[in-house]
Each structure stands twice: as C-alpha cells, then as structure tokens.
Amino acid sequence: MIYEKPRFLPGGDRALFVEFGDTIDPELNRRVKQLMLTIQGAELPELVEMVPTYRSLLVYYDPHLTSPEELRAKLKILTEKSEAGEFPNPKVTEIPTAYGGEYGCDLEFVAEYNGLSPEEIIRFHAGKAYLIYMLGFIPGFAYLGGVSPRIATPRLPTPRAKILAGSVGIAGNQTGIYPAESPGGWRVIGRTPIELFNPEKEPPALLQMGNYVKFVQITAEEFKQIRKEVVQGTYCIKETPFLRKNDDGSI
Amino acid sequence: MMEVFEVVQPGSLTTIQDMGRHGYQQYGVPVSGAMDSYALMVANLLVGNDEGAACLEITVLGPRLRILGDTVVAVTGADLSPALNNSPLPMWETVKVCSGDTISFGHPKRGCRGYLAVAGGIDVAEVLGSRSTYVKSCLGGLDGRPLRSGDRLCSGEPRAGISARKLPSQYIPEYQGENELRVILGPQDDYFTRKGIQTFLHSEYRISVQADRMGYRLEGPPIEHKAGADIVSDGIPLGAVQVPGDGLPIILLADRQTTGGYAKIATVSTIDLPKLAQAKPGDRVRFIQITEEEAYQLLQEYDRGIDALKQYIKCNDKDLRPSSKDR
C-alpha cells in the first residue's frame, strides 16, 4: 500500500529513509523519483547521495553539516513540495535485442513452458514499455516492471556460471538485462549489443529509475552492425518521450 | 608521479582503497573504500597526505614489497607484524624507506586489516571519482583487482617537507576479540517481534567465517520476525544489520550491494565501524541500542577528537630531512 503520510526512518547516523509505501507500484515509485528530483533541485549542502528504490528514497547526509532532526524537518518540507511539483515526462530507451538462437538459448524453453511459439514470446516481450523501478544488484542493472504474465517463467534450478553481458532474461514475472558478464539463474531469451554500464561515462549507467525501456527486435546481422558501432563509439541510443496512453505502461 | 613499490608477493588480499566511491549507488555501484576508515585516515595524515588518499588495504596475510624509490610510509590498523628489511617496522608513525628496501608482513597478531600509506598517495586512475577497488565488478584500483606479484605501483607528488610524525598512544586503538557495537534501530525494526528485538540486543554473536568486505555473517541465537524476512527492496546504509529468514544477522559493510530485500533491524553507529572492520571470524559482538540523537552526539565528539589529533600532528612535527637516523 501507499502510506497516507511518508515515513522518515533512520538508516544509522548518516542516512535517512523517506518511505512512501511497502508495495511495488508505479505511483509509489513516481513519488520516490519526484522527491529525488526535488531534493536535487534544492541543492542541500549536507546531501552526500541518494538511493531511490521501489518504495523509498535513502538519503545519505554529512553529519558535520546537519543533525538528523534538522534534516528530517527539511525533508518533510521538500516531500510536500515534491507532491505539488511539475516534473518532466519520463523517457523510453530502446533496447535493440536479438532473440533466440545463439543470443537467447532459453527462448524455446520459455515458449514451451508457456504453451506459446517463440515468435509469440517475442511479441509479448518486445514493443511495450517497462518501468525502471530502480537500479541495483550489480552496477547498471535495472529492475523492470510490467512483464506479461503470459511469458512468466521460473528461474533455472541451478544458476549458470556465466551469462554474457547484454543478455536479456526472464525470472518469474521479471525481465532484465545483464550489464556485465555474471553468474545467473535467469532464462536468457535474447541479447542486446548496447552497453548498459560504462564507468568511463557520466552517468555510468544507461538506464535511470523512473524512466522506461522498450525491447526492439533486431536480426543477427543488425546485432553485429550495432555492436560494431557501440565499440567504435558511434552508436546513437534511441530515446523517445513516454506518453501516458495506457496505465499498464504499453505504448 | 614516481614508482614506489614492486609487489614481490601479494599477500592474501591486498587492494587499493580510499574513502570510497560516493554518488553512484543510484546506478547500482557499491561504495567500497577502506573498511577501517580511521586507520586509513591516520596513515595518510602521518605521511602528509590528504586524509582520504589511496592506500593499500592489507588483509590478514600481508604482501612483500620492494621499494623502488626513496620515500616515506606509515603502517596503521591491524598488527600484521610489518618489517622493514626483516627488522620490525614501527606502526602508527612515519618511516623513511629507500630504494632497494623491502617491506614485508608476518604473523597476524591483532586485528585483520592493515593500511600502508605512502607520501603522495597511491596513484592509480580514479574511476567514478575514487581509486577504491571493487573486485566483484573489476572497478577502480589496479585494473579492478587485488595486487599480484610483479605489479608496480606509483605514488603521487608528496607534500613538501614531510615530517617525522608519531601518533600519541591514546589515539592507537586496541583491537579486541569482544566488541560492543552501538546501533540505531530501524528502518524495519517493526518487522521483528518484541522477543526478536530482545534477542538481538541481549545476545552475544560470533563472527562466522563468511566475513568479507561485503559483510559479516554472524552466528548466535536467531532473531524472530513477525511475519517473514522479505521486504520490498530498498537501500542499504553502511553498517546495516539485515536479518534473513534464518534469523541470523548480517552486518553490511564497504562492498555491500546498494539495495536489498531483507528486513534491516538496525544500523551500527559510524564510530564503531572501524573496530568492527578489525574483527575476525570467531570474534564476538554485542549490540547496544542508542538513539539517533545519541549517535549524532557521539559522532560530534569523535570528530572533535579527530580535530585534536590533526592539531597534535601539526604541532609536533619533527623535520625528517636530516637522515641522521641510520638505517
């Protein structure tokens, strides 16, 4: 649920949580994002950094510059301000994805498990906008919401030792992209040639919470071409403004 | 920039660390940085560096380093039997070293993380504003990994006129096998029964063998949840004590993930984290509840102590240049 009033909870002596609720809910997540933008705009000298998540904003502060009590009072005011504020529309980042075959070794399984054809799985997965609820787990990894229950598939019983960077997977009713090579138990249905995390870029992560991603099917040929451009640094990420047409995030 | 060390043997886990990578947790990048920030700060102050310059963090079994150029170093933190050319190297003070010397470490005596600072700081490229090594994602430090034999490390430009500095004994921490950690309850203390909170605050826990830079798993009486350990994921502050379904607490430290889905009963106060960083598997901890306000006051007091320490170091400098101290 979304609380009637946000809760201000201690995270030790250098951090405070502003918690808006305890569920996974796009509206709740939007409030977290709005508060983050409002605090960024306020340019508080005591602010160290913020960690926005599904349902709360963790605010790290410098205790040399404020007491927790003072900060709470400020955050209360900013929280009220953020609810009334105007904010820019989120954007949708296109993730070109090659599905199946060498790029998505579990596509056949996911299809069979759900009683659909591989093409139908792709149709359900690609072309719709998924909300980025937060980043975490490993650098650049986005927690996405809005997967069709028609393609939900349990994780592998034993995780694989190595999943390649860019792999697009399904785990239960979640979908995600591995930003770096990693062990993992997700069902890999495709792979993107674009970079999700690069510490030499600012910001280092391609995706940011509160925005959306849309998977766009590409061929193996296109995968190789885009990969080449990504390596050369000439690839241009496609982004469009998010238009609130449907509540379920589809556009 | 000059070459200062060649790694002859790397030790069990020697990494480059500073005060951590701040500002990127929102992208899922852990903070990392020195586990014992106090020992790192003191090591830096002793050799005339900024307090957050990059040092070597040495874990339990230390490295063997050949000195490649005349410079000044300081070793602080755990007593891992440091030696200069096989004679004991004094800790918590500046030590002159010359090209061709060897610094080595022996039997770990007290604590488990030593810090070696060099005048000018260890010079590696900053990644996202920090030189700290985060091994799991190959970020920072030297190619994002622990030191290896054959690595050569450079230092930055030392401050002019580095002095002979020695830390007064009252500032040298004593590392003990038993630690009282002050904690602030929350953010999810309401996920635990009264009995669970009582267990947490009145039991002794032992640090398990699963204790690394990411966190310390503890062993002891399980802490009772009201209705399960899972929460909708949120951020994880430094020192957060999360309690998964088995009821056994985990204290999350420098290399912790930025977010997590287990209820967090409390957070260890900042000033108690350095001693926790020196605790080893088998050592014992107890949790003492304090309020957020008390923690704030303790932190102010601690900072006044640090200011006094900095003042003392400044006022008691002895010129190091005349190399009368025969080696």
Side-chain angles (χ1 to χ4, degrees), chain B residues 216-296:
Chain B
Y216 287 8
R217 261 174 206 273
L218 306 182
E219 287 163 351
I223 298 164
E224 188 180 78
H225 296 87
K226 278 182 190 158
D230 293 358
I231 58 166
V232 172
S233 292
D234 65 1
I236 304 179
L238 178 61
V241 185
Q242 72 175 19
V243 186
D246 63 7
L248 299 181
I250 303 171
I251 309 177
L252 293 158
L253 298 167
D255 281 353
R256 69 197 182 282
Q257 292 186 359
T258 56
T259 59
Y262 293 123
K264 294 173 285 296
I265 193 168
T267 311
V268 178
S269 69
T270 299
I271 57 173
D272 286 340
L273 289 171
K275 66 181 176 193
L276 177 63
Q278 296 294 354
K280 302 182 296 290
D283 287 353
R284 290 175 298 272
V285 298
R286 281 180 169 278
F287 297 100
I288 313 288
Q289 183 187 358
I290 57 170
T291 64
E292 201 180 30
E293 179 57 27
E294 283 166 332
Y296 175 70

Side-chain angles (χ1 to χ4, degrees), chain A residues 13 49 60 64 72 140 202, chain B residues 23-24 27 232 236 270 292 303:
Chain A
D13 52 22
E49 65 177 307
Y60 284 85
H64 301 96
R72 257 198 185 76
E202 184 63 51
Chain B
Y24 299 94
Y27 305 115
V232 172
I236 304 179
T270 299
E292 201 180 30
D303 285 338

Side-chain angles (χ1 to χ4, degrees), chain B residues 20-35:
Chain B
R21 190 167 280 114
H22 299 276
Y24 299 94
Q25 289 191 78
Q26 60 171 303
Y27 305 115
V29 183
V31 177
S32 305
M35 288 281 279

Side-chain angles (χ1 to χ4, degrees), chain A residues 152-166:
Chain A
T153 313
R155 285 163 209 258
L156 288 165
T158 311
R160 291 195 178 95
K162 185 172 128 180
I163 291 186
L164 295 174

Side-chain angles (χ1 to χ4, degrees), chain A residues 21 73 81 92 102 105-106 111 115 131 145 212 214 216 231:
Chain A
K81 204 176 145 192
V92 186
E102 61 169 305
C105 57
D106 298 322
L131 173 61
Y212 291 78
K214 188 168 83 171
V216 175
V231 172

Side-chain angles (χ1 to χ4, degrees), chain B residues 115-249:
Chain B
Y115 292 84
L116 172 62
V118 59
I122 303 281
D123 191 23
V124 287
E126 283 193 355
V127 175
L128 299 173
S130 165
R131 296 183 169 89
S132 287
T133 315
Y134 177 54
V135 173
K136 212 174 151 205
S137 288
C138 295
L139 279 182
L142 198 65
D143 303 327
R145 59 167 173 78
L147 298 189
R148 286 204 291 244
S149 301
D151 284 342
R152 292 165 89 93
L153 299 173
C154 292
S155 73
E157 193 62 40
R159 289 253 166 88
I162 292 168
S163 314
R165 292 175 169 175
K166 188 172 175 173
L167 195 72
S169 58
Q170 73 263 30
Y171 288 108
I172 300 177
E174 278 178 37
Y175 306 128
Q176 286 160 347
E178 286 176 34
N179 286 292
E180 289 193 343
L181 303 174
R182 285 161 286 193
V183 295
I184 301 117
L185 289 187
Q188 282 103 24
D189 48 323
D190 57 352
Y191 271 63
F192 300 88
T193 61
R194 235 178 100 95
K195 190 176 144 219
I197 302 270
Q198 293 305 313
T199 306
F200 173 61
L201 293 173
H202 296 108
S203 307
E204 189 175 76
Y205 288 90
R206 188 183 292 270
I207 295 171
S208 77
V209 291
Q210 287 170 289
D212 58 19
R213 286 181 45 83
M214 188 173 169
Y216 287 8
R217 261 174 206 273
L218 306 182
E219 287 163 351
I223 298 164
E224 188 180 78
H225 296 87
K226 278 182 190 158
D230 293 358
I231 58 166
V232 172
S233 292
D234 65 1
I236 304 179
L238 178 61
V241 185
Q242 72 175 19
V243 186
D246 63 7
L248 299 181

